[in-house]
């Protein structure tokens, strides 16, 4: 069997034609209940609403975008600290410092993280 490595000549959709900036993401890349790393920020989809926080846990810098998201609560995969991803509040230690949060603006199919 021969595999053809050429791509079809198909025009990109309007969202594919747009080059994303460092602080932008395609909203379909973050399904409900998941997270995406956008630069040094973790973007979370909480039942269709997007929240963003610093990507690293305030305890030992664990990768929060790799943590389990349950509703609006993310659990750090390294030591189990829990945070509210919308407010940044610590819900369970060992972390004591809250997360920095960022505003997320959605325009069409593109989301943009804005620093606060």
């Amino acid at each position: 069997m021969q595999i053809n490595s050429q791509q079809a000549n198909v025009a990109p959709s309007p969202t594919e034609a747009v080059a994303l900036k460092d602080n932008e993401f395609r909203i379909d890349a973050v399904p409900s209940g998941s997270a995406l790393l956008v630069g040094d920020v973790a973007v979370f989809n909480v039942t269709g609403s997007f929240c963003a926080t610093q990507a690293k846990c305030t305890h030992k810098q664990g990768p929060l975008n790799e943590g389990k998201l349950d509703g609006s609560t993310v659990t750090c995969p390294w030591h189990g600290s829990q945070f509210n991803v919308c407010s940044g509040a610590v819900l369970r230690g060992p972390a004591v410092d809250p997360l920095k949060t960022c505003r997320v603006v959605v325009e069409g199919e593109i989301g943009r993280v804005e620093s606060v």
Side-chain angles (χ1 to χ4, degrees):
M1 174 193 316
Q2 184 177 5
I3 298 175
N4 187 349
S5 64
Q6 294 180 356
Q7 294 181 348
N9 252 344
V10 178
S13 73
T15 56
E16 289 174 338
V18 175
L20 295 176
K21 296 177 183 165
D22 290 343
N23 66 331
E24 293 179 334
F25 62 96
R26 287 186 169 69
I27 61 170
D28 61 1
V30 194
S32 185
S34 71
L36 177 70
L37 186 63
V38 178
D40 59 356
V41 173
V43 175
F44 301 91
N45 184 333
V46 180
T47 60
S49 295
F50 294 94
C51 300
T53 70
Q54 65 190 69
K56 296 183 186 250
C57 178
T58 57
H59 173 240
K60 295 281 186 181
Q61 307 303 302
L64 295 176
N65 60 298
E66 296 176 15
K68 181 179 183 287
L69 183 63
D70 183 13
S72 61
T73 301
V74 67
T75 302
C76 179
W78 286 6
H79 300 106
S81 291
Q82 291 184 327
F83 302 90
N84 179 303
V85 298
C86 299
S87 69
V90 176
L91 302 176
R92 185 179 84 193
V96 293
D97 295 322
L99 298 172
K100 293 177 185 167
T101 59
C102 301
R103 190 172 98 144
V104 178
V105 176
V106 176
E107 294 175 354
E109 298 299 313
I110 304 297
R112 181 178 66 249
V113 177
E114 297 183 341
S115 55
V116 199

